[in-house]
Amino acid sequence: MHSILVLNGPNLNLLGTREPHIYGATTLAEVEQGLIAQGRALGLHVHCFQSNHEGAIVDRIHQTREDGCCYALINPGAYTHTSVAIRDALVGVALPFVEVHISNIHKREPFRHHSYLSDVAEAVMAGFGTMGYGLALQFIASKLK
């Protein structure tokens, strides 16, 4: 069974209460539970990790070398637009990944239009709400077949 890492960056722990007009009412716990169940149905073991700290995210990416995760799904939150460190960690451990954004970052403030990850991602999901996580997991499952 393939192991998949789901990474969520800063402020995503506030899903369901933070700006619900942008991010919806679904909580991060609900997203994670849904992904774990969907992963099981797809024959995937899903591991979830969220941190508001860039270094913790980098450390968790490095850990994939030891724990056997072969693919990642990442919503880097605000680190999308600022973190060369997260990009370098993903590239450094050669972990293929899908970048996910709940909102359409290209319809938002200009500073949100640039991603440090998109050009090295296998795919990018933006604007599908929390449904984008499940779509990304389906994509990953298809790539691993």
Side-chain angles (χ1 to χ4, degrees), residues 3 5 47 60-70 95:
S3 290
L5 176 61
H47 304 271
R60 183 62 187 94
I61 292 166
H62 290 177
Q63 188 181 335
T64 63
R65 282 186 150 175
E66 298 161 15
D67 68 16
C69 283
C70 64
L95 183 65

Side-chain angles (χ1 to χ4, degrees), residues 74 76 80 97-101 105 115 117-119 121 123-126:
I74 182 170
T80 302
F97 68 95
V98 176
E99 180 181 350
V100 175
H101 300 284
I105 61 174
S115 167
L117 304 179
S118 293
D119 68 319
V124 178
M125 299 290 305

